[in-house]
Amino acid sequence: MRARHLMPPRLLPAAVLAGLLAAGALAPSVRAQPADDPSTILDDRAFEMPARRGLGLLYNAQFAEARAAFDTLAARYPDHPAAAFLRALVPWWEILLDLSDTSRDEAFYDAMDEVVRLADRRLRRDEYDLDARFFKGAALAFRARLRANRRDYVRAAFDAKGALDYVLDVARRDPANADFQFGRGVYDYYAAALREEHPRLRPLLTFFARGDRDRGRHLLEFTFQRGTYLQAEAAYQLALLEYVHERDYDAARRYVDWLRYYYPRNPFFHTLEGRLHATFGHLDEADRVFRAVLGRHDAGAEGYNAAAAEQALYYLARSAMIRREYGEALALLYRLEQLGEARATRSAFVVLGRLRQGMAHDARGERDAALRRYHEVLALPDRSGAHESARRYIEAPYQG
């Protein structure tokens, strides 16, 4: 059952959309490669053990510890892009926990530029170097993802095109490596899903290899089951595609539950769990999750920042409104507003929270207060169709 009422933006993977729509190639421009032994640092146990330890710390939002682990690895492998890439993931995850905060963007871009520099040095010696191609492709994909989020679409397009060629190349050259199949799986699924779900994009998508939803899911499941480094990323992508595109609550929950079990301190996965329950109308479960998120924020838990608290307050207020508990909803929404006022950028949750204040006042018969809120929404940046909703409720009161 779909949840009622206004929802904030869905968790669409911006990197996938940017990559597919920007790359503009009928098929990846991959030349025939020599049949060399595809040896890679990812198969080196001396690298694997500390790398996996650092990733465990990273995904549990223990950023200082993860940074120290990756710094040690980079000192051991100073000329290899793998360690540099792992170091770059720390600012990426700090950004991901609050995309409205741009203060870490330059540190992230500098770190990914270093990955590209080290990869290019190896490629000048051997243009078929598997590690160099894999990590350069990964760095370009992450740069494209953030640039797309920042609406820097031209540079995102260039990065995405380069990333696609490298990612598909390494998947073809070493099909037994589950981590290398991750990018191919993402591409296969979304190249097909976008064609099916967005008919207006089909003329543009004729320039891309068609993809295959089932094959994409199979490859992502292969990475999830057999991958060494990208299990969590595969679980997250599988959760998203089951949640957003397949609309399968039980399937999505399988991956979300895995992420929550292995990374219980990660606020991103924690709020994803709550959003999944809320989207499919499981209000009691959603409330339980978001109360826990809010409690961790109030206790100062690492990573449970204002952005996480805004989500929790918004969804708790949304549940209260569905239950017609408008006084409780308003108390939560006013706390959300106070939290947002202390931040430099108005998030979608703050804007939609102001809109919901008007809706709650309307439902209580407080029309003047409701109209003030709707006009205030129109003075804020438009987020997730908030302006259109505000104008509609100015014309006719929200009925509850």
Side-chain angles (χ1 to χ4, degrees), residues 119-368:
D120 282 341
R121 181 187 293 176
R122 293 174 69 95
L123 289 169
R124 282 194 292 271
R125 295 194 297 266
D126 177 7
E127 66 176 312
Y128 305 122
D129 185 297
L130 196 63
D131 281 347
R133 296 178 76 81
F134 177 72
F135 286 104
K136 182 174 181 179
L140 293 173
F142 273 81
R143 270 193 348 201
R145 184 173 178 179
L146 184 59
R147 283 173 169 160
N149 278 323
R150 303 305 189 216
R151 292 179 168 80
D152 185 0
Y153 295 120
V154 173
R155 287 194 291 181
F158 282 107
D159 281 347
K161 174 60 172 71
L164 186 62
D165 287 350
Y166 287 121
V167 164
L168 297 181
D169 178 29
V170 298
R172 184 195 62 80
R173 290 174 60 193
D174 192 357
N177 187 312
D179 291 305
F180 284 175
Q181 301 312 307
F182 172 78
R184 172 83 249 186
V186 171
Y187 180 84
D188 263 346
Y189 183 84
Y190 285 100
L194 288 176
R195 274 190 174 86
E196 296 169 16
E197 297 174 14
H198 299 277
R200 286 181 295 181
L201 295 179
R202 285 175 188 165
L204 176 61
L205 293 172
T206 58
F207 295 100
F208 295 87
R210 294 194 64 84
D212 184 310
R213 285 173 90 130
D214 290 338
R215 185 174 61 199
R217 292 165 84 182
H218 172 77
L219 289 172
L220 287 170
E221 183 69 24
F222 178 48
T223 304
F224 174 61
Q225 294 289 345
R226 302 283 298 278
T228 301
Y229 301 94
L230 293 177
Q231 273 187 300
E233 293 294 338
Y236 172 59
Q237 287 296 334
L238 285 162
L240 277 188
L241 66 87
E242 298 291 357
Y243 166 28
V244 176
H245 297 277
E246 303 299 326
R247 307 297 297 170
D248 188 329
Y249 171 79
D250 291 330
R253 185 166 181 178
R254 172 192 172 210
Y255 301 109
V256 172
D257 286 350
W258 185 91
L259 290 166
R260 290 285 295 125
Y261 178 81
Y262 284 101
Y263 307 111
R265 298 170 60 169
N266 186 309
F268 189 84
F269 299 149
H270 203 172
T271 54
L272 175 61
E273 179 188 15
R275 291 175 73 144
L276 174 64
H277 292 316
T279 298
F280 286 88
H282 300 282
L283 300 185
D284 291 340
E285 293 93 333
D287 286 359
R288 173 186 54 79
V289 170
F290 284 119
R291 280 195 294 268
V293 169
L294 197 57
R296 292 192 186 185
H297 167 266
D298 293 345
E302 184 171 10
Y304 284 80
N305 53 21
E310 286 178 358
Q311 287 193 55
L313 289 164
Y314 177 85
Y315 276 101
L316 288 167
R318 174 179 168 274
S319 289
M321 290 185 66
I322 291 173
R323 295 185 175 106
R324 300 181 182 276
E325 297 168 352
Y326 298 112
E328 179 183 346
L330 282 169
L332 292 162
L333 292 167
Y334 283 123
R335 184 179 173 190
L336 169 58
E337 182 176 333
Q338 290 172 348
L339 197 61
E341 286 175 352
R343 283 156 47 76
T345 305
R346 294 289 188 268
S347 71
F349 292 103
V350 170
V351 176
L352 292 174
R354 187 75 62 88
L355 177 67
R356 281 192 174 273
Q357 288 181 31
M359 295 161 64
H361 281 300
D362 254 343
R364 285 158 55 105
E366 300 161 353
R367 183 60 175 163
D368 289 343

Side-chain angles (χ1 to χ4, degrees), residues 40-55 70 73-74 76-77 80-86 131 135 228-229:
T40 166
I41 197 173
L42 301 184
D43 294 331
D44 182 350
R45 295 286 291 178
F47 178 84
E48 177 188 333
M49 298 308 292
R52 292 184 68 177
R53 176 180 174 274
L55 285 169
F70 295 147
L73 205 58
R76 190 181 305 169
Y77 300 90
H80 201 289
F85 178 77
L86 292 176
D131 281 347
F135 286 104
T228 301
Y229 301 94

